[in-house]
């Protein structure tokens, strides 16, 4: 059994702060080929999580600590919906259907989400990332 506690969140957040990407995963699945991927994703303000989609996979995020904005987009890059995940505010998570453009933005240091999606891992190809001109 793996326990998700403050010590684990602190460890993964410390790794995220020192990572060039300003984020770090802690995987509970044993292999990138596993059918279900479960992980902690520690994200720091300034991390770049591009707008992307998974054509054949739903994806769920549940906030464990901090504040993270989850945004969904149309094909033209216009915003469909945006919500701040925060235990303090009572907005605990989102479920993103397959094929929907989305991204995450860390709004507080040491933010951590629990993420779950179908495996196996498939790297994003060009059509899996949405480029919006003049958008940071």
């Amino acid at each position: 059994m793996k326990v998700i506690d403050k010590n684990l969140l602190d460890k993964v957040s410390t790794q995220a702060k020192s990572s060039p990407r300003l984020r770090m995963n802690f995987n509970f699945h044993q292999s990138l080929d596993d059918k279900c991927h479960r992980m902690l994703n520690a994200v720091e303000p300034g991390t770049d999580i591009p707008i992307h989609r998974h054509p054949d996979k739903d994806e769920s995020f549940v906030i464990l600590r901090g504040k993270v904005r989850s945004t969904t987009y149309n094909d033209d890059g216009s915003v469909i919906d945006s919500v701040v995940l925060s235990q303090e505010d009572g907005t605990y998570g989102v479920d993103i259907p397959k094929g929907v453009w989305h991204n995450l933005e860390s709004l507080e240091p040491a933010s951590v989400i629990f993420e779950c999606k179908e495996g196996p891992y498939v790297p994003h190809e060009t059509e899996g990332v949405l480029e919006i001109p003049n958008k940071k």
Side-chain angles (χ1 to χ4, degrees):
M1 175 170 47
K2 296 179 183 174
V3 178
I4 301 170
D5 60 8
K6 183 180 181 313
N7 288 335
L8 180 57
L9 299 187
D10 288 347
K11 175 184 171 185
V12 179
S13 289
T14 297
Q15 292 171 341
K17 286 177 189 162
S18 62
S19 165
R21 295 178 351 139
L22 295 174
R23 60 184 154 128
M24 184 61 61
N25 287 358
F26 179 91
N27 295 341
F28 295 102
H29 51 282
Q30 299 299 307
S31 163
L32 294 178
D33 293 326
D34 283 357
K35 292 181 180 183
C36 181
H37 287 200
R38 299 138 4 255
M39 68 198 86
L40 300 180
N41 199 337
V43 292
E44 292 295 312
T47 188
D48 180 28
I49 300 175
I51 300 169
H52 65 284
R53 66 180 171 187
H54 308 282
D56 301 321
K57 300 176 184 187
D58 298 329
E59 188 170 24
S60 297
F61 303 112
V62 177
I63 192 78
L64 299 178
R65 178 168 71 188
K67 288 187 180 185
V68 173
R69 180 184 316 279
S70 177
T71 305
T72 56
Y73 301 86
N74 289 305
D75 288 341
D76 65 3
S78 60
V79 172
I80 297 171
D81 201 4
S82 187
V83 63
V84 174
L85 306 180
S86 165
Q87 287 190 345
E88 181 181 297
D89 298 334
T91 310
Y92 302 110
V94 294
D95 187 68
I96 310 292
K98 60 186 162 200
V100 173
W101 296 109
H102 63 281
N103 74 339
L104 295 174
E105 175 189 4
S106 176
L107 302 176
E108 287 185 359
S111 293
V112 181
I113 59 169
F114 180 83
E115 180 177 339
C116 185
K117 65 184 165 201
E118 183 181 345
Y121 172 75
V122 177
H124 292 297
E125 296 179 5
T126 305
E127 64 271 7
V129 176
L130 182 62
E131 299 292 335
I132 301 174
N134 302 321
K135 180 161 175 63
K136 285 179 89 176

